[in-house]
Amino acid sequence: MEPDPTILVTIPEGALRESFFPPELRERLEGIGEIEWASEELTEVDLRERVEGVDVCVTGWGSPQVTSEVVERADSLELIAHTGGSVATIASPAAYDAGIRVVSANDPIAEFVAEHVLGTMLAARRRLPEFDRAMKEGKGTDSIPVESLIGAEIGLVGLGSIGRHLLAHLRSFDVSVTIYEPYLAEDALAEYGFAERTDLETVLSGSDVVSIHASRTPETVGMLDSERLATLDDDTLLVNTARAELVVEEALLAELRSGRISAALDVFHEEPLPADHELRGMENVLLTPHVGGSWIRPPLTEAVLDDAENYLAGDPLAHEIPREQWELMTR
């Protein structure tokens, strides 16, 4: 009889772990193998000291990276199961070189973020926050300019998993979509007759709504600077649920101050957004506190537990992150 696998959970004890592992999921995990729970936040040195004899490492936000030094001591490690999305700072070349498989909740998170993007697009275009505010303050609403998502020109900066889920949602709105994605395969848009790949300038200058879905990498940080933001058409809605650093903050603030464009922002250069930040007082900005996918947590845990069970049973993995995808993920 095979011994039960040893599973190390590196998410420290506290509210974060409880949100990912409510009692029923904790019980499910404990039914898979022998569990070692981290009592406090682990460093890379701590992980190196604890990884011997561990078959599966369950990680979360803030977990240390499985570096080459950790891999040297990982005599049994076969699977990294990450409850977050990007594993850019969790996995490593050494982990892949050692044949350690990597799974994450990237795709389930992408579904929730795509839903959030669609919701913010609809809310902003239909001016729901303005109507709500005016009615609660007893003000007139006749001057609020309503726009529709139906038939709109949508531009996506980057695609990835979130963008693909968003395309499926947008299909029913009879939109036209242009996409800037340098790494897109030739046949990637075959099932989306309303979408086409093009250059960044075309995406920015020809869209009613521009939604950012590129990963944060050295190449993409600051890609939307003052020069590129100036090419946005008047009244464009800019949606950012990716990473704030892709847009130069002062350049965005300048455009928003002018009233020329509007924005729906779920990510910020400083989080949480400071109480006195200028964005909080802008009426042409819809703000949410980085909740696109991260606050719906049990389904994320369920996804990686499914794959942990799949791996131990010798079944295919549903949420594996291959090395080539890892290399392009947000860092």
Side-chain angles (χ1 to χ4, degrees):
M1 183 176 177
E2 291 286 332
D4 288 340
T6 298
I7 302 173
L8 171 62
V9 181
T10 64
I11 307 170
E13 186 176 5
L16 180 65
R17 189 166 79 192
E18 290 173 6
S19 70
F20 277 97
F21 285 94
E24 66 275 13
L25 291 181
R26 184 183 181 107
E27 183 178 351
R28 179 183 170 187
L29 178 62
E30 291 173 342
I32 297 175
E34 296 293 329
I35 312 302
E36 296 180 9
W37 299 93
S39 59
E40 57 188 22
E41 188 170 340
L42 301 182
T43 65
E44 182 187 328
V45 172
D46 296 329
L47 181 58
R48 177 178 164 84
E49 292 176 352
R50 296 190 59 167
V51 77
E52 287 188 51
V54 170
D55 301 293
V56 178
C57 187
V58 177
T59 61
W61 298 318
S63 290
Q65 189 169 23
V66 182
T67 61
S68 58
E69 290 77 14
V70 173
V71 170
E72 286 176 359
R73 299 284 289 274
D75 54 347
S76 301
L77 187 61
E78 298 181 0
L79 181 70
I80 299 170
H82 185 54
T83 56
S86 173
V87 291
T89 60
I90 299 296
S92 68
Y96 282 101
D97 288 345
I100 298 169
R101 307 281 291 276
V102 181
V103 299
S104 89
N106 186 67
D107 199 53
I109 287 177
E111 289 187 71
F112 295 131
V113 177
E115 177 191 44
H116 181 91
V117 173
L118 180 64
T120 56
M121 285 182 178
L122 288 167
R125 295 282 288 178
R126 298 303 298 262
R127 301 296 196 270
L128 300 188
E130 291 96 322
F131 280 118
D132 174 75
R133 185 165 55 249
M135 291 191 69
K136 287 176 178 176
E137 295 175 357
K139 297 179 179 179
T141 58
D142 292 345
S143 62
I144 297 176
V146 175
E147 298 171 296
S148 176
L149 196 59
I150 297 172
E153 300 284 343
I154 309 295
L156 304 184
V157 179
L159 187 64
S161 300
I162 296 169
R164 287 179 171 83
H165 286 295
L166 181 61
L167 283 177
H169 293 318
L170 290 172
R171 188 192 300 274
S172 62
F173 288 90
D174 194 29
V175 297
S176 297
V177 181
T178 54
I179 302 168
Y180 170 69
E181 175 51 85
Y183 302 102
L184 200 62
E186 286 296 324
D187 60 347
L189 299 177
E191 63 181 295
Y192 303 106
F194 57 92
E196 65 174 340
R197 178 182 176 181
T198 186
D199 58 86
L200 181 56
E201 287 67 27
T202 299
V203 168
L204 296 177
S205 64
S207 302
D208 301 308
V209 180
V210 172
S211 188
I212 303 172
H213 300 286
S215 298
R216 181 183 61 199
T217 66
E219 294 74 29
T220 62
V221 169
M223 68 186 299
L224 297 186
D225 54 14
S226 57
E227 183 176 349
R228 283 181 167 150
L229 290 177
T231 66
L232 293 171
D233 287 345
D234 289 354
D235 298 322
T236 297
L237 170 67
L238 181 67
V239 181
N240 192 359
T241 57
R243 289 294 186 270
E245 293 82 3
L246 275 62
V247 185
V248 175
E249 183 176 34
E250 184 51 43
L252 176 59
L253 289 172
E255 289 287 356
L256 292 172
R257 287 185 202 114
S258 75
R260 197 179 69 81
I261 67 170
S262 59
L265 306 176
D266 189 50
V267 290
F268 309 95
H269 286 78
E270 183 179 353
E271 295 184 5
L273 187 67
D276 60 350
H277 197 285
E278 183 178 359
L279 283 170
R280 292 184 182 270
M282 290 183 166
E283 293 188 358
N284 56 337
V285 183
L286 175 60
L287 303 177
T288 52
H290 205 158
V291 295
S294 62
W295 281 20
I296 305 172
R297 292 171 179 172
L300 311 183
T301 306
E302 290 171 3
V304 297
L305 291 188
D306 287 346
D307 263 352
E309 292 174 338
N310 288 339
Y311 184 79
L312 294 170
D315 295 330
L317 302 178
H319 304 293
E320 185 165 16
I321 307 296
R323 186 171 188 154
E324 57 269 23
Q325 182 179 0
W326 168 78
E327 290 174 347
L328 298 175
M329 283 183 144
T330 288
R331 280 161 167 73

